[in-house]
Structures are given as structure tokens and as C-alpha cells.
Amino acid sequence: MIKIYNKKETTTQNIFLFSEDDWEQEKSNYPNTEHFFNGKKSEVFIKTDSNEINFFIGIGRDSKGFEIQNVANKFANDYKKNLQAVATSVHSKLGLDLTEEFVKGLFLGTYLYPFERSHPFWQENFELYFENISDDEAKNLALKTEALCNGQFAGMEWLNKPANYKKVDQISEFLKSTSEKYGLKYKSLNREESIKEGLGAFVAVNQGSSQEASFTILEYKSEKENAKTIGLVGKCVLFDTGGISIKGSANLHYMKSDMGGASAVIGALITASELKLPVNIIAILPITDNAVSEKAYLPSDVITAYSGKTIEVLDTDAEGRMTLADGLSYLSKNYETDVLIDLATLTGSSVRMFGYTCGAYFSNNDDLKKSLEKSADKTNQRLWNLPLWDVWKDDFTSDVADFKNISMKPFGDCIVAAKFLEQFIEGHQNWAHLDIAGVAFGNVGYAKDKAATGYGVQLLLDFIENYN
Ligand code: BES
Ligand code: MG
Ligand code: ZN
């Protein structure tokens, strides 16, 4: 449990936060440190006395919230061996908002895969003291940070799991017990039930798998009357081999990360319900893998999606848009939502476009665009808008069905995929699609190879907090 207090006490472990300017003014008070530290962003100087350890951490100049969070995250991760599980005072001039960012970063920086609360910060004897915030504020900060860690870590943990540890049954068990824990409504349709329900596009992807399908619906209902309802759909392909249109073997292991959309949704849902945020959330996770087998769907198959529209499959590796098409139609047809957002590691095209710098997003609503971008900029989980112009639709009209699942042109697939999804939102007027293939799984401080970044959780939470 995270323990944060307002107290001015002498502690044996201290953290001093200095901007470059503050340090310039105050360094003469620290005669033995003056020449070793400048306050540059992420600079750390450790000064030990006989029974004291002091960490001087630089936060640079005019740092924004996410930068402070990053400094703290990096510090918690880099210095875990030096840090002790003892009462610790933080001396800083940060206001409440930036202090919150700092604390979130500190605790998010304790993540390792597989995650155990073994970092000194999670131990019984670790307490954090701030001089500049009240006791109530401190308590609130602890609750918020813990809820964020519980959500974000759960999402990251599932994303990082190797393919043989994230089978449909295993993640479904987790989602079921999570629902019990947080009082969420849980419903899952297996393959047979999905067929009966008419989820043809989702089932097409699952039919080649030796694993059951699990079209999962999770509902968080807030106690607030007339709360707004947010619909979330997360791509949850547990492993993407490409299916019959099989992928090459180079870097194929990264395709365990094809549930990055779902992990963002799971994280946000857990945190939101732990904090009892005053909104309703309906989350759909169409869970399956994309496997190669005798039973797998084939290029040329014509599939009837949940909406009744037909899809000619020309590439079985474009499976994400199949599962999402049904997720979106199902949510839009069966639930009243004020806003509908899907997140997906959908296309290599978005990675080629933006690398690891931002997600590509698409929306049919200008106000929604503004709020999403605001949250994306604030959390540094950035998004860049791309068009949904009708001309793109011409690229996936089919001779034998309403649509093809790919365009035959060698460009713009992330736009094609988004335009394709738009055909399945059943006229929802406030929809956004986030293609996060480049940002969900990548270079991180806590692992040597690519791993879960946690992208999307804080973005969604910030959006949710401002959406009521
Ligand atoms: N899961 C992939 C997209 C992806 C690529 C995610 C790289 C993360 C990193 C998706 O299902 C896929 O295979 N897309 C194909 C679509 C193509 C066949 C039209 C792609 O992008 O190559
Ligand atoms: Mg694919
Ligand atoms: Zn995929």
C-alpha cells in the first residue's frame, strides 16, 4: 500500500528536487554538492553521510507534468538498488499537480516483468513525506497513484506475457476475477455463442484457432445519476501469426503484443473503477488469436459481419479490423454511448508513418478530436490526426461483397483500416479510432528488448476525467 503524508521530519533517506534555476539560487546552502550537480533534467547525485542518504534529482527547466513523471519513473527504476525501504522526505517546490506527476512516476517506475511489489517503495516501511501538501491531499495522492499502478501494471503485465501464458482462457479468468473484485458486469460469448449472435467477422478470425473465442463485454456503472457513458473497444488478438496470409519469421515474437489496445482499455477500466470515476464505461474486448490451421479463414472468403454488411477477405493478416468491426457494431447497436473509442495495434502502416512517436488517430467529431489531443499532449501519449475522406473508401469496395478487408494499393493502410472501421460504427456521431501499433510496445527503461509501454492508460484516464 502506498503511504504518503504531510510531515516535516528528519528522515535518513531524502529526495531533493531541483530545477536548474532553483539550484542556481540555493546551491550555496549545499557546500559539498555544489560542484557535482546542476539540476539538469534527470540528473541524479547521491550524497551519503554517516547515517543519511540524499538523492538530488534534477528536473531541468520549466518541465511539464509528463516530464516530471518521466524523471521520477527513470529515477525509481535506475536507483532501485540504492533506495531503501524507509521513511523518505521529498523536498521540493512543486505544486500539488506536479507533485502528483512526480509520485505517479516514482511508483510507475517500479514496474518490472513479471511484476512483484519487490521494489523498496512497495515495502511496509516505506513512507513518503511532503512538506508542501496537506494530509488530505497526500492521502488522495496515494489512492490515485495506487489505482493508476493497479490498472496500468495489469495491462502491461498481460501485454508482456509470452504467447503460451496468454491464452484465451487465462486472460478470461483474469477478467472474470477482476470484474468480481471491482463489481463490474462481465459477459463473454464463446465461439458457438458468437456464431449464434451473428458476430461473423470476429468468428472468421477465431475459427482457425484451437482456442475458444471470448467476445467479452465489461461494464462499469458509476453511482452518479445521469453519468455519461463511454464505449471502449480494444483489439485483443493474443498472437497474430497473420493466419493463412502468414507473416515472415523476423520479429514474429513481437506479435504477442497485438493486444495493446485491450491492455490500455483494461488498465483504464481498472483504474477508473478503483477510483469510482463518475462515468459509465462499457468495454468490449473481442478476444482471440489469429492462427494458421486447416480451419482458418481463407483469402477470398466472404463473411457476413454483425452489422449485416459483407466482407471479402483478401488478407487474413488484416484480422484486427475484422474483430473490431464486430466489436464496434455490437457496442453501437446494443448500448447507448455518448462517445465510442477504439484502440488497436492495427497497422504496420501507422508504424512506418510515425515510428514510436505517436499513435495515428481518426475521428468523425471535432470536439472529440480536441479533447483527445488535449489529453494526448498532456500525458505525452501523443496522437496525430489523419483523414477519413470518402475517397479512401473507393479503395476497398469489392465485386462480391460490400467491402474488401484490404486495399490493393501499396499505401495508406492505416487510413484504409480506419475508413473500413467507420463502416461498422452504425452511425455513431462521436467516434474515434486510435491506431497504436507503434507506441503500445517498444523501448522502455525496465527491459532490454521491446516491452509494454503502458501507452493509452493515462491518456484514456485523463480523457475520462475531463469527460463528465
Ligand atoms: N497486428 C498487425 C499490425 C501491427 C504491425 C501491430 C506492427 C504492431 C506492429 C495487423 O494485424 C497486421 O498484420 N496488419 C497488416 C495489414 C495488412 C495485411 C493490410 C500490416 O500492417 O502489415
Ligand atoms: Mg495481422
Ligand atoms: Zn494484428
Side-chain angles (χ1 to χ4, degrees):
M1 207 186 71
I2 299 179
K3 289 174 283 184
I4 306 177
Y5 307 100
N6 162 272
K7 228 189 222 170
K8 215 182 216 166
E9 244 187 30
T10 28
T11 48
T12 54
Q13 183 165 263
N14 297 289
I15 294 173
F16 295 88
L17 290 182
F18 279 108
S19 68
E20 288 177 58
D21 298 337
D22 287 345
W23 180 249
E24 203 45 50
Q25 305 222 324
E26 289 182 39
K27 63 182 180 186
S28 55
N29 302 332
Y30 301 87
N32 297 323
T33 308
E34 209 172 339
H35 308 294
F36 302 104
F37 179 78
N38 298 295
K40 291 229 158 33
K41 197 159 91 181
S42 270
E43 185 185 357
V44 175
F45 175 71
I46 305 180
K47 182 165 163 283
T48 51
D49 287 336
S50 52
N51 59 353
E52 234 184 59
I53 182 160
N54 301 301
F55 296 91
F56 289 77
I57 306 177
I59 54 173
R61 213 162 243 149
D62 300 327
S63 288
K64 297 197 173 75
F66 72 83
E67 293 174 290
I68 305 267
Q69 189 187 118
N70 284 344
V71 166
N73 186 315
K74 189 167 169 359
F75 168 74
N77 180 49
D78 289 352
Y79 290 89
K80 50 184 173 279
K81 296 226 166 67
N82 306 80
L83 287 158
Q84 299 164 53
V86 297
T88 302
S89 302
V90 181
H91 309 271
S92 92
K93 287 189 169 166
L94 299 180
L96 182 59
D97 285 353
L98 292 182
T99 301
E100 178 173 330
E101 296 291 340
F102 179 76
V103 173
K104 283 179 174 169
L106 272 190
F107 280 87
L108 288 174
T110 66
Y111 181 80
L112 279 177
Y113 174 76
F115 184 63
E116 286 166 25
R117 291 176 197 250
S118 57
H119 193 284
F121 290 173
W122 291 100
Q123 306 314 306
E124 192 54 32
N125 297 332
F126 185 77
E127 291 169 351
L128 213 44
Y129 295 138
F130 286 88
E131 301 146 4
N132 50 344
I133 57 175
S134 75
D135 258 333
D136 279 352
E137 288 167 341
K139 206 171 146 196
N140 192 250
L141 206 54
L143 289 177
K144 268 179 139 174
T145 304
E146 187 142 343
L148 175 62
C149 288
N150 286 341
Q152 186 167 319
F153 290 172
M156 292 166 80
E157 198 74 352
W158 278 101
L159 198 53
N160 281 331
K161 278 186 201 289
N164 60 332
Y165 286 82
K166 54 166 160 241
K167 297 296 180 186
V168 177
D169 287 349
Q170 291 166 314
I171 191 165
S172 292
E173 249 342 287
F174 167 77
L175 291 172
K176 212 185 290 173
S177 62
T178 299
S179 300
E180 272 162 31
K181 181 169 170 196
Y182 292 106
L184 310 175
K185 198 161 148 200
Y186 172 90
K187 186 176 168 190
S188 158
L189 305 175
N190 63 19
R191 186 183 303 157
E192 208 186 303
E193 292 159 340
S194 297
I195 292 173
K196 270 196 200 130
E197 199 60 37
L199 295 160
F202 169 63
V203 170
V205 177
N206 176 258
Q207 72 188 36
S209 174
S210 59
Q211 299 181 60
E212 262 297 354
S214 176
F215 188 87
T216 302
I217 305 136
L218 300 161
E219 285 180 63
Y220 159 69
K221 185 128 185 41
S222 125
E223 285 155 18
K224 186 184 160 191
E225 258 178 72
N226 302 321
K228 289 207 174 137
T229 300
I230 298 176
L232 297 174
V233 181
K235 175 174 175 183
C236 199
V237 172
L238 299 180
F239 195 90
D240 182 10
T241 65
I244 296 295
S245 316
I246 196 165
K247 287 183 184 292
S249 57
N251 290 325
L252 192 51
H253 64 296
Y254 290 147
M255 281 303 119
K256 71 172 187 177
S257 72
D258 211 12
M259 50 161 301
S263 67
V265 171
I266 292 169
L269 185 64
I270 289 178
T271 305
S273 34
E274 189 162 324
L275 291 175
K276 298 193 161 49
L277 295 186
V279 290
N280 304 319
I281 301 174
I282 299 161
I284 292 200
L285 308 174
I287 309 174
T288 181
D289 59 344
N290 187 22
V292 188
S293 86
E294 195 188 342
K295 293 185 177 148
Y297 73 142
L298 294 172
S300 87
D301 281 0
V302 172
I303 306 293
T304 305
Y306 182 74
S307 74
K309 291 179 182 144
T310 53
I311 304 166
E312 180 187 14
V313 177
L314 288 180
D315 195 319
T316 63
D317 199 10
E319 86 297 341
R321 62 198 78 175
M322 303 287 291
T323 67
L324 290 176
D326 277 358
L328 287 166
S329 300
Y330 189 90
L331 190 36
S332 195
K333 272 198 174 175
N334 296 297
Y335 298 88
E336 283 282 325
T337 53
D338 296 289
V339 56
L340 177 59
I341 302 175
D342 74 77
L343 296 96
T345 49
L346 202 63
T347 67
S349 155
S350 73
V351 188
R352 288 189 292 277
M353 182 111 58
F354 293 124
Y356 312 123
T357 61
C358 69
Y361 90 97
F362 306 80
S363 175
N364 59 1
N365 187 299
D366 286 339
D367 291 334
L368 179 55
K369 285 185 193 178
K370 279 193 203 111
S371 351
L372 275 173
E373 275 191 30
K374 206 167 159 206
S375 294
D377 288 344
K378 185 173 168 203
T379 58
N380 199 37
Q381 302 189 331
R382 282 185 294 208
L383 288 172
W384 196 262
N385 188 225
L386 292 175
L388 283 168
W389 296 320
D390 281 336
V391 282
W392 289 94
K393 205 175 146 184
D394 301 340
D395 291 347
F396 58 91
T397 51
S398 160
D399 290 327
V400 295
D402 290 315
F403 314 114
K404 305 185 287 206
N405 77 333
I406 57 167
S407 141
M408 290 305 197
K409 293 183 182 157
F411 48 69
D413 184 50
C414 64
I415 304 177
V416 170
K419 195 69 194 167
F420 176 89
L421 293 180
E422 192 193 30
Q423 311 311 310
F424 296 91
I425 58 176
E426 304 289 318
H428 202 295
Q429 293 299 303
N430 200 19
W431 161 71
H433 157 60
L434 279 52
D435 188 339
I436 61 170
V439 285
F441 200 77
N443 301 324
V444 294
Y446 67 84
K448 290 195 277 292
D449 200 354
K450 286 180 194 286
T453 60
Y455 182 98
V457 179
Q458 294 188 72
L459 167 65
L460 283 175
L461 286 166
D462 188 76
F463 172 80
I464 291 170
E465 276 170 36
N466 293 310
Y467 194 81
N468 52 52

